[in-house]
Amino acid sequence: MTTGARQRAWAALADHWQDLQATRIDEMFTADPRRFQGWSVALDDMLLDISKTKLDGRALDLLADLARAAGVPQRLEAMFAGETVNATENRAALHPVLRAPDQAPRHVDGRDVKAAVAAEDARVRAFAEGVRDGTIAGRDGEPITDVINIGIGGSHLGPALAVRSLRPYRDGPRVHFVANADGADVSDTLRGRDPRRTLIIVSSKSFTTTETLANARTAWAWSARALGEEGVAGHFAAVTAATDKAAAFGIPAERVFRMWDWVGGRYSVWGAVGLPAMIALGTDAFDAFRAGAAAMDAHVREAPLTRNMPVLLALVGVWHANVCGYPTRAVLPYDHRLNRLPGYLQQLDMESNGKAVSADGAALTGHSGPIVWGEVGTNAQHAFFQLLHQGTRIVPCEFLVAADGHEPDARDHHDLLVANCFAQARALMRGRCRAETETLLRQQGMDAHTAARLAPHRSFAGDRPSTMLLYRRLDPFTLGRIIALYEHRVVIEGTIWGVNPFDQWGVELGKELATSLHGRVAAREGAPDADPSTDGLLGWRARLADGEGA
Ligand SMILES: O=P(O)(O)OC[C@H]1O[C@](O)(CO)[C@@H](O)[C@@H]1O
């Protein structure tokens, strides 16, 4: 379809929204008692329910037209085929190859990378297993009890999410994560650890990221104080695409594991970046994690657009962001061990689709990625749900919940958790009108005047959309499916918005300016050549840091 066809699809969606807006979601259930069945899609023991959104058949058809017009199926196939889908960096985006179950050839620029990937994976596995079984030990032969991953962004969030989410499956060393430039992060993590039993993994695709290198140098010095300079290298490993830089840092070649140029940082947990998770969980669990993602890969390629989980989640996202005009979306895992998921998705989603120009450089005429935020339930209920239920802005909510937990003695807890999750989605949709509230308050014994006065405060407009992802249990396979579901959702949305979801040029300017200011900050100098605010702040900072009054 042409640009004209896309514009017509957007216009038809906008018109349709005008017609649909006044219809309440709960009325759509009254009109169609089988709405739940029609508007939910299952993949084995995982169910995505989008029935509590305002999508109807026409809206879905138009959105599917839009996806086709944007070339979503072709774009996904191009990605899976190893084509250069990341044009601004002249790269493929072939993260699915890291979890592909078969030995089928996978090509990047005409080269079959499958064998190289398998060989590197074998190195990573051998290292992880060696650390776990003690054959790879500390300099004095002490087993490794603690692993510290030093990395940031995609070199941190994925393995941290996996290790945290799969806590019941951890049977290896403890794993810690250091990311922040703030020395508090590395100091707090190193304090109390035994350098003789600690392995430090420096994870950085570029091996130039300033935070990671600063933390790595601090950890190196900490290690050297206990082990001597000659003992440190045996306690370090690296994960990087810049193997020469890791070697120059001092990490022995046999402990440097390769990231691929054609896998973006935020899509990279499936390969060597997952090393800390592999050490914590073991290779079987890590294989199950990858198999879950591979199952989602097969589903996204095979299922028809309107029965396809990542496509549906993407279409709901586009509907809410562009057609309904909701600027944010909340991710609400009712699964305590998914408490890092909102942060993980912030990078995956906002670094991918927070763009103002299309893949070919033209200014976008509509909005691209929404603001993604969230927190685990039920904690979130006691923090920001007030706004979700009664605020002036509508925030589409994405709930996630397991049918069952891992705690045999906590069945009641899990029932309570599920009840809260389903109830919140229901309350958002249903609301409680003023008349109903007043009646209720009167029934509770309140006088008529007070009931009328309080009813506006205590009623709920409702008609607020949400989706629900329900899965049997948060095991490695399911976590893999969840992450791949969101990866594909982000790529599909990016394709519909016309942006390149694989680059991240928007982080560069801040990095450059930080580098140029660093010297001034350290020297307690001002920057009269910068803007007056920055110059003024540098002056204040210098005086305060030196203990002077302002
Ligand atoms: O793995 P690296 O090269 O250290 O980069 C870390 C992160 O920094 C970014 O480049 C953004 O600043 C992310 O895309 C990336 O995941």
Side-chain angles (χ1 to χ4, degrees), residues 263-295:
V263 174
R266 57 192 175 274
Y267 298 91
S268 67
V269 63
W270 317 102
V273 171
L275 176 61
M278 216 188 255
I279 293 174
L281 307 167
T283 47
D284 286 351
F286 201 81
D287 284 346
F289 170 62
R290 293 206 275 217

Side-chain angles (χ1 to χ4, degrees), residues 152-155 204-206 209 265 347 351 504 507 511:
I152 197 163
S155 301
S204 173
K205 183 173 175 185
S206 59
T209 303
Q347 188 203 16
E351 198 170 80
Q504 59 285 318
V507 301
K511 284 187 196 173

